Amino acid sequence: MALTKGVKQLVAEARAKVRTLSIQEALAKHADPNVLFVDIRDVRELERDGMIPGAYHAPRGMLEFWVDPDSPYYKTEFGSGKEFVFYCASAWRSSLATAAVQEMGLAPVCHFEGGFNAWKQAGGPVVPRPEKQV
């Protein structure tokens, strides 16, 4: 059975709906205390590659549950009133995630082009995954 829509089309449709920062814009936002970077990568990626300092880890598989205040899994970080900048390794998953939470009503929210790989290539700061997220 052939799929009616592939991942490339899903990502393209998501990107058409969301705000995408350039890597330079993302780097500039990193120092802003009113911005929360949200790392949606798998925990194994964080352990292997590190993460952006100060980023909040919200695994992609739980994201919608963590964003929804009516969910038993809600995380208060998503009620902080901050601007949210989502990222993954290469900006495919973050495109989908940003579109999903934007559709849920989370705002302001965006992601950045190229993801964590572009962040590292641009010389953005990277730290090891913290032992325990507070």
Side-chain angles (χ1 to χ4, degrees), residues 14-91:
R15 286 186 178 180
K17 297 181 211 174
V18 301
R19 184 168 153 233
T20 303
L21 302 177
S22 69
I23 189 63
Q24 293 78 20
E25 290 170 318
L27 288 163
K29 282 192 175 288
H30 185 244
D32 187 335
N34 295 312
V35 174
L36 181 60
F37 280 71
V38 180
D39 192 325
I40 63 164
R41 295 175 300 148
D42 182 88
V43 67
R44 292 169 294 219
E45 293 173 277
L46 276 61
E47 290 170 356
R48 182 186 65 224
D49 301 325
M51 58 193 298
I52 294 173
Y56 182 73
H57 180 232
R60 177 66 188 102
M62 290 299 295
L63 184 60
E64 291 85 349
F65 297 97
W66 286 17
V67 167
D68 183 353
D70 292 329
S71 165
Y73 302 104
Y74 176 67
K75 301 294 183 187
T76 57
E77 286 77 6
F78 293 105
S80 67
K82 293 185 177 189
E83 177 180 2
F84 300 96
V85 178
F86 286 83
Y87 71 93
C88 63
S90 60

